[in-house]
Structures are given as C-alpha cells and as structure tokens.
Amino acid sequence: MTKIKLCGLSRPEDIAAANALKPDFVGFVFAASRRQVTPEAALRLRWLLDPAIPAVGVFVDEAPDRVADLLNRGVIQIAQLHGREGEEDLARLRALAPGRPLWQAFRLRQPEDAAPANASSADSILLDSGRGSGEAFDWALLSAIRRPYFLAGGLGPETVADALCTLHPYGVDVSSGIETDHKKDKEKMAAFVAAVRKGDTL
C-alpha cells in the first residue's frame, strides 16, 4: 500500500481531519514558510494527534541539536531534511538522536540529480521539484532512481491516481494540493486519501 503523508498541518482542525483519515504520516514544517509552526505549537498539535500517526518535522538547514531536541522530546518522530544537509549532518543527527528515522529530500531537475539521492544514507528519500513548490517535475527523471521514494510536487486529488499508476512510488507527500486559500481543506484531504487508497486497488 502506498504510504500517505499529509504535510504542512498547522491548526487543530487540520489534526482532527487527519485523525479521521488516518494517513501514514503528517508533517509539521519548522522551516520558514507560511505553513511554519513553532516547536511549542507543534507540541500542542502532537498532543491532539492520534498517537498511531507519526509526525514528521520538515527542516531546512537547521542546526542538528535543535532537530534532535524535537526528536528526543517526542514532538516529532521523524526528521525530514529539505536543505543542503549532507552525510555529516545525518551522522551528527544519528549521534544526537539514536534510532530516530531520518528522511532526506532531493530536487530532481536534471539526470545528474539522481546520484546523490541514490547514495544518501537517509532512511527514506523524498523527490520534489523544489522546497514545497507545489509544482510537478519531469517524471522521466525518476527512471534513474534505484531505491524506494516518496513523490512530492504537483500532487492533488485529481493527479495522484495517475502518479500511482505510472510510477508506483513507495509514498506520496502532499501539502498545497490539499489546500484552499492557503489553508488545509478537509474535503480535499479526504479526497486525496481516498484517491490514493483507490489507486492501490487498481
């Protein structure tokens, strides 16, 4: 079954919708963004979130000790690195927060971009056109990816079924595709999850 991550949740009503839909992961954005949440706000949301749903923290070039603090306090269960982090940063985080899963995001814009994604020691990789751009990239570039991946960028209730049928990703990550007027839309969230789960049965 394709894993589902609903990212950029920032309000109690977003969490209520996620609890009803039971995605595999939700995402809290700690990087500068209109979806950014503070650690204190994320902790309040985590208290409201179904304990069975892991929270993924999204970071861009954040200090490893700050990421590790959120992992070790249980505010998040997984760290997703969306900046210029390298293997030294991954190793540092593993030392500071042992046993915590680390994901790394890569932008695919040209064939050479596949090599670092394939070589990353991260537990999972996410492939996108940019940092939360909400735009699709050239899926032909995925032919060079040699490991399971989360697909992001340009996904929504109307497009995700085609992505599943064409690419068979390990997981899908959505944020802007489930928003209306820059806020999470519970009906779009439900439609996205339903589309993924229906696509898995075809």
Side-chain angles (χ1 to χ4, degrees), residues 87 90 103-104 106 115-125 147:
E87 290 298 320
L90 292 173
W103 297 0
Q104 191 168 20
F106 294 90
N118 287 326
S120 172
S121 69
D123 298 283
S124 291
I125 60 169
R147 59 187 291 184

Side-chain angles (χ1 to χ4, degrees), residues 31-125:
S33 161
R34 57 182 168 79
R35 305 180 185 100
Q36 183 178 17
V37 295
T38 64
E40 294 74 23
L43 181 58
R44 290 193 294 270
L45 295 173
R46 176 71 250 190
W47 286 338
L48 298 173
L49 183 64
D50 183 334
I53 304 174
V56 181
V58 179
F59 303 91
V60 175
D61 301 323
E62 185 58 83
D65 58 333
R66 295 186 65 183
V67 179
D69 176 66
L70 293 172
L71 287 166
N72 290 329
R73 289 197 288 127
V75 178
I76 56 174
Q77 285 66 55
I78 300 164
Q80 177 181 316
L81 309 180
H82 231 285
R84 295 166 294 179
E85 298 89 355
E87 290 298 320
E88 289 185 5
D89 299 291
L90 292 173
R92 177 67 175 154
L93 269 175
R94 289 193 178 99
L96 292 170
R100 306 294 185 176
L102 303 178
W103 297 0
Q104 191 168 20
F106 294 90
R107 284 178 277 185
L108 286 190
R109 292 168 293 186
Q110 53 194 3
E112 303 80 62
D113 293 335
N118 287 326
S120 172
S121 69
D123 298 283
S124 291
I125 60 169

